[in-house]
Amino acid sequence: MSKCYSLIAFLAISVALFGCGKSNEAEQLPVFCKQDGSRLYIKQGNISMEVMPKVAARVSSLKYDGHEILVGIADPDQITDWGTVFWSSPQSEWSWPPVETLDSKPYTLGSQEDRLVLTSDIDKKTGYQFTKTYMPTGDDRISVTYRITNHSDHKKNVAPLEVTRLPPSGDLFYPRGDTDPISGIFYPLDVQNIDDLTWYHYDAKKIRTDHHKVMQDGKEGWVAYVDKGYLLVKEFADNPPAAIAPGEREIEIFTHVEHIFIEMKQQGASVALAPGEHLDWTVVWHVKKLPEDLAKNPEPAALATYVRSLL
């Protein structure tokens, strides 16, 4: 991981509130972004990302040359089973369902220099306001910077958590960290230790009568998903287990009992925010079509080497 991405995690606290000013849908968008009705389209290299400002600025589609990587929107009224969302951690603060103001309500659209900026309202229960900033950062690569601002009247310990819903197929893997895998209240996920990797292969026959989950510390600051010859890598600042929110882990994989999706989750360090302070956390999305030889023989060590070559 480059030093500039790691640095973002250590610039977590700032007393200056984020100010992009009032915006509206007529505002000039960055050149990489086009608007079509209620949806925004970000194009970078071979990838196209769709963002929906009216549904919490979540990523609703991610394509490589037309091949869909995510579980996209099927029913606009069903907000829990598709796309990529952003939550605060620990989840125990808000339990379930997710906070509507932050997870499913409209965000304000704006731009700042060469960045696309979307901002939530302030949630009355938690006091949080989320900002999502999208910007291409290289070939087949888009960075998303998340901001959590504490608008409550007291100090709060909070961490950033990104959740991506993927099709129920393929494999997920990441460098194994310093903690053993746990499953929380769910069935344990059937993962393997392969060299220095934690490896999960989706097998619908092994999903029992409940959801399955694995939670574990990672290393190197990345987690990857491969399916049908396409690769998605999330790159972020690595943190030791002690920096993660209580009851949480740096990386999580969750499988839905009805075989609707796999969730790939990763989170940043927990930060103590005084009223008016905020944290920033960046995740870089790498999307690739695998080289032909690797697509035909997706051997774990070779895939990990390829991923590391991208970071």
Side-chain angles (χ1 to χ4, degrees):
M1 174 180 296
S2 66
K3 293 182 178 178
C4 63
Y5 298 143
S6 299
L7 178 61
I8 293 172
F10 298 102
L11 298 178
I13 300 178
S14 173
V15 295
L17 293 178
F18 183 71
C20 60
K22 295 291 184 180
S23 63
N24 55 59
E25 297 195 4
E27 182 169 354
Q28 182 68 39
L29 296 174
V31 294
F32 60 79
C33 181
K34 304 297 181 184
Q35 185 169 7
D36 185 0
S38 63
R39 305 190 185 200
L40 302 170
Y41 295 91
I42 299 171
K43 177 70 174 176
Q44 175 65 13
N46 295 292
I47 65 176
S48 176
M49 175 184 284
E50 178 186 279
V51 178
M52 297 185 67
K54 291 186 177 180
V55 191
R58 74 172 61 177
V59 177
S60 50
S61 174
L62 180 68
K63 295 179 179 179
Y64 187 101
D65 283 344
H67 176 84
E68 181 62 65
I69 305 294
L70 307 183
V71 171
I73 181 172
D75 180 356
D77 295 325
Q78 175 55 267
I79 61 171
T80 61
D81 294 341
W82 57 271
T84 290
V85 297
F86 179 67
W87 294 340
S88 62
S89 180
Q91 187 175 333
S92 58
E93 180 181 6
W94 47 267
S95 187
W96 191 262
V99 179
E100 287 189 353
T101 301
L102 307 173
D103 182 72
S104 58
K105 295 298 184 181
Y107 277 38
T108 299
L109 169 62
S111 63
Q112 186 181 46
E113 298 177 351
D114 57 348
R115 298 167 173 81
L116 180 67
V117 181
L118 296 113
T119 306
S120 75
D121 288 337
I122 299 170
D123 175 58
K124 294 180 180 179
K125 180 179 179 180
T126 63
Y128 296 140
Q129 182 178 43
F130 290 174
T131 301
K132 303 178 181 181
T133 300
Y134 297 88
M135 182 180 66
T137 53
D139 289 343
D140 305 331
R141 193 171 69 209
I142 295 174
S143 74
V144 186
T145 296
Y146 298 101
R147 174 167 290 190
I148 300 177
T149 302
N150 177 17
H151 287 284
S152 74
D153 59 3
H154 59 280
K155 181 179 291 187
K156 306 195 71 171
N157 294 304
V158 63
L161 168 62
E162 186 187 67
V163 183
T164 293
R165 280 121 187 186
L166 302 162
S169 59
D171 299 84
L172 290 89
F173 57 101
Y174 54 89
R176 188 170 55 257
D178 296 327
T179 65
D180 293 328
I182 59 174
S183 59
I185 63 173
F186 302 106
Y187 281 121
L189 205 61
D190 185 20
V191 298
Q192 297 176 275
N193 291 337
I194 301 179
D195 298 325
D196 64 339
L197 303 174
T198 293
W199 187 278
Y200 172 64
H201 173 71
Y202 186 86
D203 183 349
K205 296 178 181 178
K206 293 184 178 181
I207 305 300
R208 303 180 187 177
T209 57
D210 197 353
H211 309 299
H212 288 237
K213 191 174 189 179
V214 65
M215 305 165 62
Q216 191 175 19
D217 177 47
K219 281 192 181 298
E220 302 179 24
W222 62 267
V223 57
Y225 169 72
V226 62
D227 187 35
K228 298 179 176 63
Y230 293 86
L231 175 73
L232 169 64
V233 182
K234 300 292 190 71
E235 179 184 4
F236 49 94
D238 185 35
N239 284 289
I244 303 302
E248 303 282 341
R249 296 294 186 272
E250 187 176 34
I251 295 175
E252 301 180 16
I253 302 172
F254 173 91
T255 59
H256 196 281
V257 66
E258 297 177 5
H259 314 293
I260 298 173
F261 58 75
I262 307 168
E263 283 185 343
M264 179 167 74
K265 306 180 181 182
Q266 75 284 341
Q267 59 184 292
S270 180
V271 176
L273 296 180
E277 292 183 338
H278 67 252
L279 66 81
D280 286 339
W281 182 61
T282 294
V283 179
V284 181
W285 300 37
H286 303 258
V287 188
K288 290 291 184 181
K289 184 177 182 180
L290 292 175
E292 185 175 352
D293 57 340
L294 193 53
K296 290 181 178 179
N297 182 28
E299 191 269 331
L303 277 170
T305 297
Y306 181 74
V307 169
R308 288 166 175 139
S309 74
L310 301 176
L311 307 182

